[in-house]
Amino acid sequence: MVTYTNAKILGIDDITGTLDIGKQADLIVLDQNPLEQIEALSNMSMVMVKGNMIQNPSVNRIKEVDDVLNAVW
């Protein structure tokens, strides 16, 4: 409901905000729960952007983010 509510507030709920036929979808599919293992976000099984599947998803590393994560862990 979070994405739907935000899409509705922005006035774009006719094109996004829910997974429905004809709507644009940005989503990732992970093999592990990122709430339990944050590293799961760097190993995506599937990525869709505006309803189009990205065949070979990859992660661009950002050194500053890695530094923060390494300091926390």
Side-chain angles (χ1 to χ4, degrees):
M1 287 304 291
V2 172
T3 56
Y4 171 74
T5 302
N6 289 323
K8 189 168 181 147
I9 289 168
L10 294 170
I12 57 173
D13 55 307
D14 59 326
I15 60 170
T16 191
T18 57
L19 293 175
D20 290 317
I21 294 172
K23 288 192 175 184
Q24 297 180 0
D26 294 345
L27 61 94
I28 61 173
V29 176
L30 307 170
D31 293 327
Q32 298 165 328
N33 183 346
L35 298 175
E36 296 172 2
Q37 187 173 4
I38 192 70
E39 295 85 5
L41 292 171
S42 66
N43 188 19
M44 297 164 284
S45 297
M46 186 181 82
V47 175
M48 290 187 76
V49 177
K50 293 186 178 178
N52 298 302
M53 187 168 4
I54 306 300
Q55 294 297 325
N56 298 306
S58 63
V59 174
N60 294 327
R61 308 295 307 180
I62 301 172
K63 182 186 179 316
E64 294 80 6
V65 173
D66 284 342
D67 290 345
V68 169
L69 288 174
N70 290 330
V72 171
W73 304 110

